[in-house]
């Protein structure tokens, strides 16, 4: 029976430790998308407010004024529904970003502990628990990446919806 030693796994443990230290930079994957979503939504709100205040139509043409008011009301409703969707996501996105931090710190601590242990027990056989801990340290890295990728995708989708409403607003109003 051949035993795998900690020394043979040390390169994997070093890779895991290094990658888990870098996990905190994964927030950079989703932050630009989150900031863009918030900026676009704010800009759309400002544009809608300008349209609400504007009186493009002759005050004597009540049909044009009514049509304009209905169009603004429809855009306002669409922005409100998007705002509700974004508000729900906004609280989730803060939680997801915190989860990334927790995974990064946990993965880093486990990886550094494993790195220290592997150096101390270089020629000792590695246990099943050791292999599981190495797997978990890589799992935290994968989890953080997936969370941030999903967050960025959701923020991008909301940004596209808002841009569609803005485009429709420009065409209609």
């Amino acid at each position: 029976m051949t035993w795998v030693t900690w020394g043979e796994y040390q390169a994997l443990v070093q890779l895991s430790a290094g990658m888990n230290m870098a996990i905190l930079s994964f927030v950079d994957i989703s932050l630009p998308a989150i900031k863009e979503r918030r900026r676009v939504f704010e800009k759309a709100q400002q544009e809608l407010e300008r349209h609400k205040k504007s009186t493009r139509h002759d005050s004597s043409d009540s049909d044009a004024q009514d049509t304009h008011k209905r169009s603004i009301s429809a855009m306002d409703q669409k922005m409100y529904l998007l705002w509700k969707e974004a508000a729900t996501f906004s609280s989730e996105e803060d939680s997801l970003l915190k989860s990334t931090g927790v995974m990064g710190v946990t993965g880093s601590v486990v990886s550094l502990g494993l790195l220290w242990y592997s150096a101390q027990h270089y020629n000792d056989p590695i246990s099943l628990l050791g292999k599981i801990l190495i797997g978990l340290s890589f799992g935290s890295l994968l989890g953080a990446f997936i969370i941030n990728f999903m967050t960025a995708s959701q923020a991008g989708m909301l940004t596209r919806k808002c841009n569609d409403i803005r485009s429709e607003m420009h065409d209609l109003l």
Side-chain angles (χ1 to χ4, degrees), residues 51-72 171-173:
H51 285 295
K52 284 180 181 178
K53 292 176 184 176
S54 75
T55 54
R56 287 186 173 176
H57 303 284
D58 184 11
S59 59
S60 63
D61 188 359
S62 64
D63 289 340
Q65 285 179 341
D66 289 342
T67 301
H68 185 70
K69 285 179 184 178
R70 280 194 301 275
S71 297
I72 286 177
D171 294 343
L172 193 59
L173 304 174

Side-chain angles (χ1 to χ4, degrees), residues 9-170:
Y9 261 77
Q10 195 170 41
L12 283 176
V13 174
Q14 288 171 345
L15 179 63
S16 173
M19 291 177 82
N20 273 297
M21 292 299 185
I23 204 171
L24 299 175
S25 68
F26 279 172
V27 174
D28 292 341
I29 293 171
S30 58
L31 275 181
I34 292 168
K35 287 179 181 178
E36 178 68 6
R37 177 188 61 78
R38 291 177 181 171
R39 185 191 67 75
V40 166
F41 190 84
E42 186 177 312
K43 193 169 185 170
Q45 284 293 102
Q46 290 170 351
E47 289 173 5
L48 183 58
E49 287 302 316
R50 278 196 306 271
H51 285 295
K52 284 180 181 178
K53 292 176 184 176
S54 75
T55 54
R56 287 186 173 176
H57 303 284
D58 184 11
S59 59
S60 63
D61 188 359
S62 64
D63 289 340
Q65 285 179 341
D66 289 342
T67 301
H68 185 70
K69 285 179 184 178
R70 280 194 301 275
S71 297
I72 286 177
S73 181
M75 291 296 113
D76 201 23
Q77 179 66 22
K78 286 182 181 187
M79 286 299 295
Y80 174 73
L81 293 174
L82 183 62
W83 173 81
K84 278 179 56 175
E85 186 178 351
T88 301
F89 174 66
S90 187
S91 63
E92 290 174 17
E93 96 192 337
D94 291 339
S95 173
L96 291 172
L97 292 176
K98 288 176 186 170
S99 297
T100 299
V102 169
M103 283 187 196
V105 170
T106 302
S108 295
V109 168
V110 169
S111 295
L112 290 175
L114 286 169
L115 189 57
W116 173 82
Y117 189 85
S118 69
Q120 297 297 315
H121 301 277
Y122 193 83
N123 292 319
D124 295 347
I126 189 169
S127 65
L128 179 60
L129 178 61
K131 291 177 184 177
I132 290 171
L133 288 174
I134 291 169
L136 286 175
S137 68
F138 276 105
S140 68
L141 178 71
L142 181 62
F145 177 78
I146 289 171
I147 285 172
N148 276 281
F149 183 77
M150 288 174 27
T151 303
S153 295
Q154 180 71 14
M157 182 199 63
L158 290 169
T159 300
R160 281 188 299 281
K161 283 183 177 181
C162 191
N163 279 329
D164 290 346
I165 292 172
R166 284 179 64 205
S167 177
E168 185 178 349
M169 198 183 320
H170 289 190

